[in-house]
Amino acid sequence: MDQVTVIAGCAIATIDERRTEYSRGYVVVRGNRIEAVGAGEAPEADAGARRIDGRGCLLTPGLVNTHHHLYQWITRGLATDHTLFEWLTTLYPIWAGIDEDAVRIAATGALAALARTGCTTTTDHHYLFPREGGDLLGAEITAAADVGLRFHPCRGSMDLGASAGGLPPDHVVESLDDILTASAEAVERWHDPSFDSMLRIALAPCSPFSVTPELLRESAALARTAGVRLHTHLAETIDEQDYCAEAFECTPAQYLERLGWLGPDVWYAHAVHLDDHAIEAMAQTGTGVAHCPTSNARLGAGIARTADLVCAGVPVGLGVDGAASNESGSMIEEPRHALLWARNRGGPRAMTVRTALELATIGGARVLGRAAEIGSIEAGKLADLALWRLDTAAHAGIDDPVTALVLGAPPPLAALLVNGRQVVRDGEVRTVATDVVATEVTRAQAALVAKAG
């Protein structure tokens, strides 16, 4: 018999089509689905129902992270004052030493951090596959299953080494044939297209300065034949813009457009430096964006035109990006930073607190093609829910709970449900031993740095 969970007495921001909010309401979950949501007292439930007291809390959809590099959790705190290209060339020699064990440890640490900060669904863009590393994609998939998050790993790739004009050193790139074979195998082995899937694969050549045009074309063809999504970095920095101008005599967005990388099955990470034509083309084709405000600021990459993208109708979600350029890996920080950066660029009315929360929830669901399943609190949708405690001293006196969540101090989680399963309760991850994970992370980072000399 399906477990019934009743969350009652809380404020609710449903993020449904009407943006319904309740100052005091309830949600009933049966199994992995939301059965009912409404105002006032919860209806009578089964005798064995699990009850969660939501008084003093705000219930939102679980947050959706649309861009990450989980393996970087064991290389945090390095190259802290570098530009993107300097940062990459400093870290590639260290990352070249990753293996299956290191990736499992790093992914577990990063995923636990996401869970503690309200994330229920996350992507990962893993593009580094050292020849002796083992099953790196499988390692992070195992970690996601252990932590209990809904997972969209992207089988990334690089085939353009430094000797051929790319940025990465030759020893960390793969051949085109090996990449396509491994990509097809990843889809065949792991991808689950079902409604309540906990695991979906995307294909993700890394960036214009680390892959060949042939890899971008062939990956797009393979993904569309297999029915999976496409992801890549795009227009993150001025350095990338200069690289594309010299190598391809166009902007990064024009380069991807030439290669067929527009469409509702495509989303770009960052998309900081876009002109009006690029935004219009993305809006017309349904091409999405993973906006990563914390990482962009950490690397000094620039301020994305997020408000313009949203106004144009481009699907926009939020991402923490890799932990080597966002050491906290906190998903709840991203809507706040998205709002602040948008207002810094366009003034105080450029983005509202509710739009910022929408980007972190239904916006991310749209980017991943899952808006019918997650991203809002509605009957029939999957039970991915975050219950935020706002009756703390840090939030006292902020009457609007959405404002308290987005602009106030990051609040503790009273509970996090993923697919109906309780992953976090009273601020603690219940699925993995986070103290043990922390010890493993420290050990793995020291070993990796030592290996690089």
Side-chain angles (χ1 to χ4, degrees), residues 134-179:
D135 185 5
L136 304 189
L137 197 65
E140 64 175 17
I141 288 171
T142 296
D146 289 343
V147 176
L149 297 194
R150 202 176 299 280
F151 197 34
H152 282 233
C154 305
R155 205 298 176 178
S157 52
M158 299 189 295
D159 71 336
L160 186 66
S163 65
L167 192 68
D170 289 349
H171 63 275
V172 300
V173 303
E174 302 172 276
S175 72
L176 175 62
D177 287 345
D178 286 347
I179 290 167

Side-chain angles (χ1 to χ4, degrees), residues 171-195:
H171 63 275
V172 300
V173 303
E174 302 172 276
S175 72
L176 175 62
D177 287 345
D178 286 347
I179 290 167
L180 295 176
T181 298
S183 297
E185 289 174 349
V187 175
E188 177 64 26
R189 180 182 179 188
W190 300 113
H191 184 65
D192 175 7
S194 64
F195 178 87

Side-chain angles (χ1 to χ4, degrees), residues 102-452:
V103 168
R104 178 191 57 79
I105 292 167
T108 304
L111 290 161
L114 286 172
R116 280 195 303 272
T117 59
C119 181
T120 52
T121 297
T122 186
T123 61
D124 186 58
H125 185 181
H126 192 91
Y127 53 82
L128 201 69
F129 292 89
R131 290 175 181 82
E132 306 301 323
D135 185 5
L136 304 189
L137 197 65
E140 64 175 17
I141 288 171
T142 296
D146 289 343
V147 176
L149 297 194
R150 202 176 299 280
F151 197 34
H152 282 233
C154 305
R155 205 298 176 178
S157 52
M158 299 189 295
D159 71 336
L160 186 66
S163 65
L167 192 68
D170 289 349
H171 63 275
V172 300
V173 303
E174 302 172 276
S175 72
L176 175 62
D177 287 345
D178 286 347
I179 290 167
L180 295 176
T181 298
S183 297
E185 289 174 349
V187 175
E188 177 64 26
R189 180 182 179 188
W190 300 113
H191 184 65
D192 175 7
S194 64
F195 178 87
D196 56 357
S197 171
M198 293 291 289
L199 180 61
R200 291 187 183 173
I201 300 294
L203 302 187
C206 185
S207 65
F209 49 83
S210 61
V211 306
T212 61
E214 290 76 20
L215 176 56
L216 286 163
R217 288 193 191 95
E218 293 295 329
S219 294
L222 174 59
R224 284 163 177 155
T225 298
V228 300
R229 301 179 84 76
L230 286 163
H231 183 48
T232 191
H233 297 93
L234 186 77
E236 184 175 359
T237 66
I238 294 296
D239 286 343
E240 180 186 335
Q241 190 164 289
D242 292 343
Y243 177 90
C244 288
E246 182 176 347
F248 312 120
E249 298 183 341
C250 63
T251 68
Q254 288 169 333
Y255 177 58
L256 268 290
E257 184 175 359
R258 290 176 186 174
L259 296 172
W261 272 68
L262 284 173
D265 57 345
V266 177
W267 85 101
Y268 303 143
H270 305 298
V272 174
H273 301 281
L274 298 178
D275 58 23
D276 290 346
H277 170 80
I279 292 175
E280 182 181 358
M282 293 166 65
Q284 289 180 349
T285 56
T287 305
V289 168
H291 175 39
C292 304
T294 304
S295 174
N296 293 159
R298 200 277 210 184
L299 290 168
I303 301 175
R305 297 175 61 185
T306 314
D308 294 338
L309 289 163
V310 172
C311 183
V314 174
V316 179
L318 300 179
V320 301
D321 200 9
S325 65
N326 178 1
E327 277 73 5
S328 70
S330 168
M331 191 59 202
I332 191 53
E333 293 181 6
E334 299 308 324
R336 180 172 189 262
H337 291 168
L339 179 144
L340 295 178
W341 297 179
R343 291 185 178 186
N344 189 40
R345 182 183 184 103
R349 294 184 179 85
M351 184 177 292
T352 69
V353 292
R354 282 165 172 76
T355 297
L357 182 57
E358 289 164 16
L359 297 184
T361 53
I362 194 64
R366 288 193 186 111
V367 165
L368 300 184
R370 302 200 71 168
E373 303 160 78
I374 60 174
S376 63
I377 303 175
E378 301 179 72
K381 281 198 166 186
L382 298 172
D384 290 6
L385 302 166
L387 186 66
W388 307 93
R389 183 155 296 287
L390 297 177
D391 55 358
T392 70
H395 302 93
I398 306 177
D399 291 336
D400 175 20
V402 176
T403 296
L405 177 66
V406 174
L407 287 180
L413 274 174
L416 186 77
L417 271 61
V418 184
N419 211 42
R421 178 191 184 194
Q422 195 164 234
V423 173
V424 176
R425 187 69 194 268
D426 297 327
E428 295 184 3
V429 178
R430 297 298 180 92
T431 51
V432 295
T434 53
D435 55 342
V436 174
V437 173
T439 299
E440 289 186 328
V441 166
T442 301
R443 172 183 63 79
Q445 174 157 1
L448 190 62
V449 172
K451 186 188 293 188

